[in-house]
mmCIF file of all heavy atoms in Angstrom:
data_model
loop_
_atom_site.group_PDB
_atom_site.id
_atom_site.type_symbol
_atom_site.label_atom_id
_atom_site.label_comp_id
_atom_site.label_asym_id
_atom_site.label_seq_id
_atom_site.Cartn_x
_atom_site.Cartn_y
_atom_site.Cartn_z
ATOM 1 N N CYS A 3 -4.278 -6.251 -4.603
ATOM 2 C CA CYS A 3 -3.207 -5.247 -4.677
ATOM 3 C C CYS A 3 -3.664 -3.872 -4.210
ATOM 4 O O CYS A 3 -2.939 -2.880 -4.328
ATOM 5 C CB CYS A 3 -2.642 -5.191 -6.078
ATOM 6 S SG CYS A 3 -1.815 -6.644 -6.629
ATOM 7 N N SER A 4 -4.904 -3.859 -3.698
ATOM 8 C CA SER A 4 -5.413 -2.666 -3.061
ATOM 9 C C SER A 4 -6.528 -3.075 -2.127
ATOM 10 O O SER A 4 -6.992 -4.225 -2.207
ATOM 11 C CB SER A 4 -5.971 -1.620 -4.089
ATOM 12 O OG SER A 4 -7.139 -2.056 -4.689
ATOM 13 N N VAL A 5 -6.979 -2.177 -1.301
ATOM 14 C CA VAL A 5 -8.038 -2.460 -0.337
ATOM 15 C C VAL A 5 -8.921 -1.214 -0.227
ATOM 16 O O VAL A 5 -8.415 -0.124 -0.104
ATOM 17 C CB VAL A 5 -7.510 -2.917 1.013
ATOM 18 C CG1 VAL A 5 -6.658 -1.879 1.655
ATOM 19 C CG2 VAL A 5 -8.733 -3.318 1.920
ATOM 20 N N ALA A 6 -10.263 -1.455 -0.309
ATOM 21 C CA ALA A 6 -11.197 -0.328 -0.153
ATOM 22 C C ALA A 6 -12.082 -0.572 1.090
ATOM 23 O O ALA A 6 -12.468 -1.733 1.356
ATOM 24 C CB ALA A 6 -12.059 -0.216 -1.395
ATOM 25 N N VAL A 7 -12.340 0.475 1.809
ATOM 26 C CA VAL A 7 -13.244 0.425 2.968
ATOM 27 C C VAL A 7 -14.482 1.295 2.626
ATOM 28 O O VAL A 7 -14.357 2.455 2.294
ATOM 29 C CB VAL A 7 -12.554 0.956 4.255
ATOM 30 C CG1 VAL A 7 -13.501 0.913 5.407
ATOM 31 C CG2 VAL A 7 -11.283 0.179 4.540
ATOM 32 N N HIS A 8 -15.635 0.673 2.654
ATOM 33 C CA HIS A 8 -16.877 1.288 2.281
ATOM 34 C C HIS A 8 -17.674 1.555 3.559
ATOM 35 O O HIS A 8 -17.890 0.655 4.366
ATOM 36 C CB HIS A 8 -17.705 0.430 1.357
ATOM 37 C CG HIS A 8 -17.047 0.075 0.034
ATOM 38 N ND1 HIS A 8 -17.204 0.821 -1.106
ATOM 39 C CD2 HIS A 8 -16.127 -0.860 -0.256
ATOM 40 C CE1 HIS A 8 -16.491 0.284 -2.099
ATOM 41 N NE2 HIS A 8 -15.830 -0.749 -1.592
ATOM 42 N N TRP A 9 -18.291 2.777 3.682
ATOM 43 C CA TRP A 9 -19.127 3.097 4.831
ATOM 44 C C TRP A 9 -20.442 3.775 4.354
ATOM 45 O O TRP A 9 -21.019 4.492 5.147
ATOM 46 C CB TRP A 9 -18.359 3.933 5.811
ATOM 47 C CG TRP A 9 -17.697 5.203 5.318
ATOM 48 C CD1 TRP A 9 -18.337 6.368 5.075
ATOM 49 C CD2 TRP A 9 -16.335 5.353 4.901
ATOM 50 N NE1 TRP A 9 -17.419 7.325 4.589
ATOM 51 C CE2 TRP A 9 -16.179 6.697 4.416
ATOM 52 C CE3 TRP A 9 -15.219 4.488 4.850
ATOM 53 C CZ2 TRP A 9 -14.972 7.162 4.001
ATOM 54 C CZ3 TRP A 9 -14.028 5.030 4.371
ATOM 55 C CH2 TRP A 9 -13.889 6.348 3.983
ATOM 56 N N ARG A 10 -20.903 3.493 3.189
ATOM 57 C CA ARG A 10 -22.108 4.154 2.704
ATOM 58 C C ARG A 10 -23.331 3.880 3.553
ATOM 59 O O ARG A 10 -24.186 4.734 3.783
ATOM 60 C CB ARG A 10 -22.381 3.704 1.258
ATOM 61 C CG ARG A 10 -23.656 4.278 0.619
ATOM 62 C CD ARG A 10 -23.755 3.919 -0.816
ATOM 63 N NE ARG A 10 -22.579 4.418 -1.593
ATOM 64 C CZ ARG A 10 -22.496 5.650 -2.059
ATOM 65 N NH1 ARG A 10 -23.474 6.526 -1.871
ATOM 66 N NH2 ARG A 10 -21.401 6.061 -2.685
ATOM 67 N N LEU A 11 -23.454 2.675 4.136
ATOM 68 C CA LEU A 11 -24.602 2.314 4.884
ATOM 69 C C LEU A 11 -24.399 2.499 6.415
ATOM 70 O O LEU A 11 -25.285 2.115 7.191
ATOM 71 C CB LEU A 11 -24.976 0.864 4.586
ATOM 72 C CG LEU A 11 -25.395 0.578 3.181
ATOM 73 C CD1 LEU A 11 -25.698 -0.928 3.037
ATOM 74 C CD2 LEU A 11 -26.587 1.421 2.726
ATOM 75 N N ALA A 12 -23.254 2.962 6.787
ATOM 76 C CA ALA A 12 -22.917 3.070 8.243
ATOM 77 C C ALA A 12 -23.507 4.334 8.812
ATOM 78 O O ALA A 12 -23.867 5.291 8.161
ATOM 79 C CB ALA A 12 -21.402 3.071 8.410
ATOM 80 N N THR A 13 -23.661 4.290 10.170
ATOM 81 C CA THR A 13 -24.061 5.491 10.912
ATOM 82 C C THR A 13 -22.938 6.532 10.817
ATOM 83 O O THR A 13 -21.788 6.165 10.543
ATOM 84 C CB THR A 13 -24.272 5.180 12.390
ATOM 85 O OG1 THR A 13 -23.034 4.768 12.973
ATOM 86 C CG2 THR A 13 -25.332 4.070 12.507
ATOM 87 N N PRO A 14 -23.252 7.801 10.986
ATOM 88 C CA PRO A 14 -22.251 8.832 10.894
ATOM 89 C C PRO A 14 -21.063 8.557 11.860
ATOM 90 O O PRO A 14 -19.882 8.748 11.468
ATOM 91 C CB PRO A 14 -22.968 10.109 11.324
ATOM 92 C CG PRO A 14 -24.399 9.895 10.900
ATOM 93 C CD PRO A 14 -24.604 8.452 11.144
ATOM 94 N N SER A 15 -21.379 8.019 13.047
ATOM 95 C CA SER A 15 -20.256 7.764 14.000
ATOM 96 C C SER A 15 -19.364 6.649 13.455
ATOM 97 O O SER A 15 -18.099 6.737 13.459
ATOM 98 C CB SER A 15 -20.824 7.310 15.307
ATOM 99 O OG SER A 15 -19.780 6.914 16.212
ATOM 100 N N ASP A 16 -19.944 5.519 12.980
ATOM 101 C CA ASP A 16 -19.167 4.403 12.480
ATOM 102 C C ASP A 16 -18.448 4.851 11.165
ATOM 103 O O ASP A 16 -17.352 4.358 10.866
ATOM 104 C CB ASP A 16 -20.001 3.203 12.291
ATOM 105 C CG ASP A 16 -20.254 2.438 13.604
ATOM 106 O OD1 ASP A 16 -19.752 2.847 14.656
ATOM 107 O OD2 ASP A 16 -21.006 1.475 13.597
ATOM 108 N N ALA A 17 -19.126 5.636 10.411
ATOM 109 C CA ALA A 17 -18.472 6.121 9.093
ATOM 110 C C ALA A 17 -17.196 6.884 9.419
ATOM 111 O O ALA A 17 -16.150 6.712 8.803
ATOM 112 C CB ALA A 17 -19.436 6.992 8.350
ATOM 113 N N GLY A 18 -17.243 7.740 10.480
ATOM 114 C CA GLY A 18 -16.087 8.478 10.843
ATOM 115 C C GLY A 18 -14.972 7.585 11.362
ATOM 116 O O GLY A 18 -13.825 7.793 11.076
ATOM 117 N N LYS A 19 -15.351 6.546 12.139
ATOM 118 C CA LYS A 19 -14.331 5.627 12.619
ATOM 119 C C LYS A 19 -13.719 4.826 11.479
ATOM 120 O O LYS A 19 -12.527 4.538 11.449
ATOM 121 C CB LYS A 19 -14.972 4.695 13.662
ATOM 122 C CG LYS A 19 -15.399 5.352 14.913
ATOM 123 C CD LYS A 19 -16.137 4.385 15.859
ATOM 124 C CE LYS A 19 -16.628 5.099 17.104
ATOM 125 N NZ LYS A 19 -17.446 4.187 17.946
ATOM 126 N N ALA A 20 -14.555 4.445 10.477
ATOM 127 C CA ALA A 20 -14.008 3.673 9.349
ATOM 128 C C ALA A 20 -13.057 4.552 8.554
ATOM 129 O O ALA A 20 -11.967 4.068 8.100
ATOM 130 C CB ALA A 20 -15.202 3.261 8.443
ATOM 131 N N GLN A 21 -13.396 5.800 8.351
ATOM 132 C CA GLN A 21 -12.517 6.711 7.607
ATOM 133 C C GLN A 21 -11.182 6.880 8.354
ATOM 134 O O GLN A 21 -10.082 6.867 7.781
ATOM 135 C CB GLN A 21 -13.160 8.027 7.300
ATOM 136 C CG GLN A 21 -12.241 8.970 6.477
ATOM 137 C CD GLN A 21 -12.963 10.201 5.946
ATOM 138 O OE1 GLN A 21 -14.204 10.189 5.874
ATOM 139 N NE2 GLN A 21 -12.242 11.255 5.615
ATOM 140 N N ALA A 22 -11.272 7.066 9.655
ATOM 141 C CA ALA A 22 -10.103 7.212 10.453
ATOM 142 C C ALA A 22 -9.235 5.972 10.388
ATOM 143 O O ALA A 22 -7.975 6.066 10.340
ATOM 144 C CB ALA A 22 -10.470 7.539 11.895
ATOM 145 N N ALA A 23 -9.829 4.806 10.368
ATOM 146 C CA ALA A 23 -9.059 3.550 10.324
ATOM 147 C C ALA A 23 -8.286 3.438 9.009
ATOM 148 O O ALA A 23 -7.143 3.021 8.987
ATOM 149 C CB ALA A 23 -10.058 2.327 10.496
ATOM 150 N N VAL A 24 -8.959 3.743 7.866
ATOM 151 C CA VAL A 24 -8.263 3.603 6.592
ATOM 152 C C VAL A 24 -7.211 4.661 6.411
ATOM 153 O O VAL A 24 -6.145 4.431 5.856
ATOM 154 C CB VAL A 24 -9.289 3.585 5.446
ATOM 155 C CG1 VAL A 24 -9.866 4.952 5.176
ATOM 156 C CG2 VAL A 24 -8.620 3.031 4.203
ATOM 157 N N GLU A 25 -7.473 5.838 6.983
ATOM 158 C CA GLU A 25 -6.447 6.918 6.940
ATOM 159 C C GLU A 25 -5.192 6.491 7.774
ATOM 160 O O GLU A 25 -4.096 6.746 7.366
ATOM 161 C CB GLU A 25 -7.012 8.192 7.452
ATOM 162 C CG GLU A 25 -7.994 8.853 6.467
ATOM 163 C CD GLU A 25 -8.748 10.077 7.047
ATOM 164 O OE1 GLU A 25 -8.668 10.269 8.284
ATOM 165 O OE2 GLU A 25 -9.354 10.839 6.265
ATOM 166 N N GLY A 26 -5.451 5.930 8.909
ATOM 167 C CA GLY A 26 -4.353 5.447 9.755
ATOM 168 C C GLY A 26 -3.561 4.359 9.078
ATOM 169 O O GLY A 26 -2.336 4.315 9.172
ATOM 170 N N ALA A 27 -4.250 3.427 8.438
ATOM 171 C CA ALA A 27 -3.600 2.305 7.747
ATOM 172 C C ALA A 27 -2.685 2.820 6.605
ATOM 173 O O ALA A 27 -1.590 2.332 6.411
ATOM 174 C CB ALA A 27 -4.595 1.335 7.236
#
């Protein structure tokens, strides 16, 4: 009933893309 996207171990570039993806969703 919810979904979390974690980017603790990601590079700064991929972390930014992950955050943008969850914000867009």
Side-chain angles (χ1 to χ4, degrees):
C3 295
S4 71
V5 59
V7 180
H8 299 265
W9 53 83
R10 180 172 299 277
L11 299 179
T13 65
S15 176
D16 281 357
K19 293 175 183 177
Q21 181 169 340
V24 73
E25 288 174 344

